[in-house]
Each structure stands twice: as structure tokens, then as C-alpha cells.
Amino acid sequence: QVRLEESGPGLVRPSETLSLTCSVSGGSFTNYYWSWIRQPPGKGLEWIGYVYHDGGAIYNPSLKSRVTISVDTSRNQFSLNLRSMTAADTAIFYCVRVFHEFDAPAGATNWYYDLWGRGTLVSVSS
Amino acid sequence: QSILTQPPSVSAAPGQRVTISCSGTSSNIGQHYVSWYVQIPGTAPKLLIYDNNKRPSEIPERFSASKSGTSATLAITGLQTGDEADYYCAAWDSRLNGLFGTGTKVIVL
């Protein structure tokens, strides 16, 4: 059974960089896309970006200038770096496996999140 | 940033049916597949519907979904107290963005 587990600091100082790692166990790491999604306390979900096993990444345009998502296939891990953190970045961060397929005849992208980590709360405070 | 619009809450008595709408545009729901997620407070979201209307094997038939044009709808029949949760729609956007709906709280009266 595939499991995803987030690890990283629970507290980050304003202006610093958040670094989180997601460890994937119990299944294939290659041939999937891997995403980070966040949820501020009491609010909705926000997609941060995804990385493919070859290292290619796409980011939410609203966060693109501050985000890097990288992958380490030798360890079955992917990581999130979010720079210049502010209080508005306080959130639960989830690592997620993504099903991604392009339906060429329909010109449509089939995209859904089929496995989620438990999430880790990151607070930004001095 | 583009978002998918859902009603903040819907409610019904046990045993009844509720529907949740998800409104987007031609660059997301109008072109790409829709998925739905359920989140019980304090836990991670879970996949409820994929490919616009398919259920993972562990999801009961009481949950169904459809898509028409730039909108999608989730329906829950035979409402149970355990269905009280937050529900989110999601879709890819052609502007290279993974969008979520604003979320809907289902209240069982």
C-alpha cells in the first residue's frame, strides 16, 4: 500500500524559506506526478505545484516566483521550498500523488489527486 | 487567480438528497475532467469522484457526479450523519494551474 509522509519544521520565521520533504513508500515513484497542496486554517485548498519523476515541474502562477519543487528518485522523495514566508503562508501542507493523463482526442487533461499524505501544519511567526 | 465556485453550504435531513454545484469556465471545467474530494474536519481530503463521474471502489453508490458545459454537480443520496464534511471540486486549467473549488460544507439536519 502506497504511503506518503510529510516531514519538516512546524515553525518558520517571517522572510525565511520553508523546506518540506515527502517520502513515498510501498509503491512506484516513477511514472507519477507529485504535488504539494496547502490549506490555511479554516480555509480551502490551494494547489502549489507538481513535479514529475524526471524533475520537470509546473507551479501555481500566484506562487511561481517563490516556489521550487524538486525530486530525488533514489530516495523516493520530493521536496518543497517556499521562499520569503509570511504569516499568510501559515497552512497545513499536503503532499499528494497525482494521476495525470492527456486525452488527446478530446483535447482534455484528466487530472486528479488519488493519494494524500496526512499533512503537516506550518506556522509562520517570529 | 481563477477559482471554481461552490456554494458555501448545503443542508438536508438524513435520508434526503443534496447536490453541490461547481462553476468554472471554458479553460477548466469546460475543457478538462473534474474530480471531487471529501474532507472530514481534522483529516486530509480523500478522492471521491474522478473522470467527471467515476467512483473509487470504496466509495458508495450514494455519491454520483456529472458535468455539463462549464459546470459540474455532485449528488449525495440517502444522506447520512457521517456525510457531514467539506466537499471540494477540482479541475486542471489550460493556463497551467490546478484549480480547486471554494468548498462546500454539507450539514445533516
Side-chain angles (χ1 to χ4, degrees):
Chain A
Q1 188 174 0
V2 180
R3 284 189 59 217
L4 287 71
E5 185 171 9
E6 305 89 352
S7 59
L11 179 66
V12 176
R13 307 289 185 202
S15 80
E16 292 187 343
T17 295
L18 169 66
S19 293
L20 294 176
T21 295
C22 181
S23 299
V24 181
S25 60
S28 173
F29 188 77
T30 56
N31 299 319
Y32 283 100
Y33 291 76
W34 304 93
S35 268
W36 288 96
I37 290 166
R38 69 178 182 176
Q39 184 173 37
K43 296 188 178 181
L45 301 166
E46 181 180 35
W47 175 74
I48 298 172
Y50 75 68
V51 66
Y52 194 44
H53 68 85
D54 65 358
I58 297 287
Y59 305 122
N60 186 321
S62 68
L63 297 170
K64 188 176 181 178
S65 64
R66 298 196 291 133
V67 173
T68 301
I69 300 177
S70 58
V71 64
D72 184 345
T73 54
S74 67
R75 296 186 175 187
N76 280 11
Q77 293 178 335
F78 63 105
S79 298
L80 168 71
N81 275 11
L82 183 59
R83 298 175 288 278
S84 304
M85 294 281 282
T86 71
D89 295 312
T90 293
I92 297 172
F93 286 77
Y94 297 100
C95 63
V96 187
R97 191 177 77 175
V98 184
F99 177 90
H100 183 196
E101 185 177 74
F102 184 65
D103 181 352
T109 294
N110 194 357
W111 168 276
Y112 57 87
Y113 311 100
D114 64 347
L115 284 176
W116 295 66
R118 296 178 64 179
T120 185
L121 175 63
V122 177
S123 298
V124 182
S125 174
S126 55
Chain B
Q1 177 185 346
S2 298
I3 57 172
L4 305 177
T5 303
Q6 299 179 232
S9 66
V10 297
S11 60
Q16 294 192 329
R17 178 178 185 263
V18 294
T19 60
I20 301 170
S21 60
C22 175
S23 178
T25 69
S26 58
S27 66
N28 41 70
I29 292 179
Q31 184 171 357
H32 303 293
Y33 289 79
V34 178
S35 54
W36 291 87
Y37 303 84
V38 56
Q39 184 180 32
I40 295 169
T43 68
K46 183 174 83 168
L47 179 65
L48 191 64
I49 296 286
Y50 65 100
D51 288 12
N52 296 329
N53 55 18
K54 294 184 173 61
R55 288 175 289 105
S57 57
E58 69 274 19
I59 301 300
E61 291 182 3
R62 301 187 297 106
F63 295 88
S64 63
S66 61
K67 185 182 105 166
S68 179
T70 59
S71 293
T73 301
L74 175 71
I76 310 173
T77 59
L79 197 63
Q80 302 177 359
T81 55
D83 296 333
E84 277 208 343
D86 296 317
Y87 293 79
Y88 295 91
C89 60
W92 184 247
D93 187 282
S94 297
R95 288 165 282 194
L96 300 182
N97 200 348
L99 297 180
F100 282 102
T102 48
T104 298
K105 180 179 293 294
V106 169
I107 300 168
V108 182
L109 300 173

